[in-house]
Amino acid sequence: MRRLFRAVLLGALALGAALAQATMGLTELPGLKGDGPVTVFYPSDSPAAPVARGPFSPSVALNGRAIAGNRRLVVLSHGSGGAPWVHTDLARALVEAGFVVALPEHRGDNHRDASSPGPDSWKLRPAEASRAIDAVGRDARFAPLLDLARVGVVGQSAGGHTALSLAGGRWSPARFLRHCEAHIAEDFNACVGTFTLLNGGLFDGLKRSAALGVLRQRFDDETLFDHHDPRFAAAVAGVPAAADFDPASLARPRIPLALVTAGRDRWLTPRWHSDAVLTACTSCERIAHLPDGGHSILLSPLPPPEVLGAVERQLLADPAGFDRGVLPDVDRKIAAFFRRHLLP
């Protein structure tokens, strides 16, 4: 027993030393079945250098050689209209902990195509996350380095909705509609996205009425949607869209489920989203709560204001006085949660 413990300890120390010297690799894989590309971040021993990706320049080993980490994969589901690069800091924390990170581009709800956000995208996202596992597993660089029997998923906003679905949550478009009918004034942008804002002006009533008219035409389906993939073994939902879930389906998630929450979220009012999940799920762990944080607490680096629309700029702006210096600790807590639940 002592020899076994010593061997495990020495192996862990050796892995830690190797990862301490590693860089973060970056590559892009073609999606399966018509999906968009899958961006992959991973431990590498190739030199890193800044690489231009839109307005961002992450320091990565572009297509660098992959090296062994902890043999586990984490799928990262981006938010509505999202891109990989606003999750680079979280991906780096996960890679430094030994994980490979796969970020699928969600159809109709990404930075290149924002034509189908909300429930239309939510129906597709869990299966896209499953196919991202398959895409990584088929790649000759990663297949020998990974055990895909236990995979994690982390998501922000609409990506948090993906994580809740993969943890066992069931939702319906009609539940989304009923929430908006009941709370359109208090949770307006959860229902309409970035189309417009309520500003206390003369036209707020017209905006609410028009929004409900559109929602009633599109979202009356009572079908409860879920997605079961036994490879997913732990989930983290950050400021998730959640008002459309059946609370009973989240009372006992089929896998360990943690939340990251923000007290001043203007896009998804916590009362009907993250707080509602925590009320329903007594076994869920809130691994981080930022009382002064807004909707963008899992976006790091933040997208520059010039690439955002006027409504997005307001919904994603950090509240006055919020210190982004706390975010690296949130990323480390997410990595620690996956180490606890995914590693042997």
Side-chain angles (χ1 to χ4, degrees):
M1 182 64 71
R2 286 199 194 97
R3 280 197 293 268
L4 177 60
F5 176 77
R6 185 169 181 272
V8 171
L9 178 61
L10 290 175
L13 290 173
L15 174 61
L19 290 173
Q21 302 298 318
T23 58
M24 183 167 75
L26 168 67
T27 195
E28 188 177 278
L29 307 180
L32 305 180
K33 296 186 177 180
D35 291 344
V38 178
T39 300
V40 184
F41 300 95
Y42 56 93
S44 174
D45 61 3
S46 300
V51 174
R53 288 293 182 270
F56 305 97
S57 297
S59 181
V60 294
L62 184 62
N63 297 314
R65 190 174 82 96
I67 61 172
N70 62 27
R71 298 189 58 79
R72 297 302 187 196
L73 176 72
V74 173
V75 176
L76 201 166
S77 179
H78 64 72
S80 189
W85 323 118
V86 295
H87 297 292
T88 304
D89 290 344
L90 173 56
R92 192 176 302 278
L94 290 167
V95 168
E96 289 175 351
F99 295 100
V100 173
V101 181
L103 199 152
E105 182 180 271
H106 291 299
R107 185 180 310 175
D109 193 19
N110 60 74
H111 68 292
R112 294 190 284 200
D113 175 12
S115 60
S116 304
D120 291 337
S121 170
W122 300 343
K123 295 174 188 178
L124 305 177
R125 283 166 165 263
E128 290 168 343
S130 288
R131 290 193 293 271
I133 302 175
D134 299 331
V136 174
R138 293 183 186 187
D139 190 278
R141 292 168 292 181
F142 302 112
L145 303 177
L146 290 172
D147 177 356
L148 298 177
R150 294 179 62 79
V151 175
V153 58
V154 56
Q156 179 262 347
S157 190
H161 193 284
T162 310
L164 295 177
S165 294
L166 291 168
R170 297 180 300 156
W171 66 278
S172 75
R175 289 186 64 89
F176 173 72
L177 172 60
R178 285 195 289 273
H179 167 72
C180 293
E181 288 178 325
H183 304 293
I184 188 68
E186 303 97 331
D187 204 24
F188 184 74
N189 287 99
C191 299
V192 305
T194 60
F195 180 71
T196 187
L197 289 166
L198 298 181
N199 56 19
L202 180 64
F203 296 106
D204 277 4
L206 180 60
K207 292 176 184 178
R208 291 193 295 266
S209 297
L212 288 173
V214 172
L215 293 169
R216 285 167 178 151
Q217 292 180 41
R218 296 184 59 194
F219 301 123
D220 61 353
D221 184 2
E222 294 283 357
T223 303
L224 284 170
F225 289 90
D226 62 2
H227 180 84
H228 179 56
D229 184 334
R231 295 174 296 183
F232 285 106
V236 176
V239 290
D244 55 330
F245 280 93
D246 174 8
S249 70
L250 290 170
R252 290 179 294 277
R254 57 177 169 240
I255 58 178
L257 172 61
L259 271 75
V260 177
T261 60
R264 298 171 66 186
D265 189 340
R266 291 187 60 196
W267 197 328
L268 299 171
T269 306
R271 175 182 173 186
W272 291 291
H273 298 278
S274 54
D275 289 355
V277 174
L278 291 168
T279 297
C281 178
T282 56
S283 67
C284 288
E285 181 180 353
R286 178 149 62 179
I287 54 176
H289 175 61
L290 304 181
D292 295 325
H295 191 67
S296 59
I297 56 170
L298 262 67
L299 303 186
S300 180
L302 269 177
E306 59 269 19
V307 305
L308 300 174
V311 174
E312 285 178 302
R313 282 197 294 273
Q314 294 187 57
L315 294 176
L316 294 178
D318 288 331
F322 178 66
D323 178 12
R324 295 205 131 237
V326 303
L327 297 186
D329 185 57
V330 174
D331 294 341
R332 287 190 290 268
K333 287 178 177 177
I334 293 171
F337 175 83
F338 285 128
R339 282 199 302 269
R340 290 199 306 274
H341 293 289
L342 297 181
L343 300 186

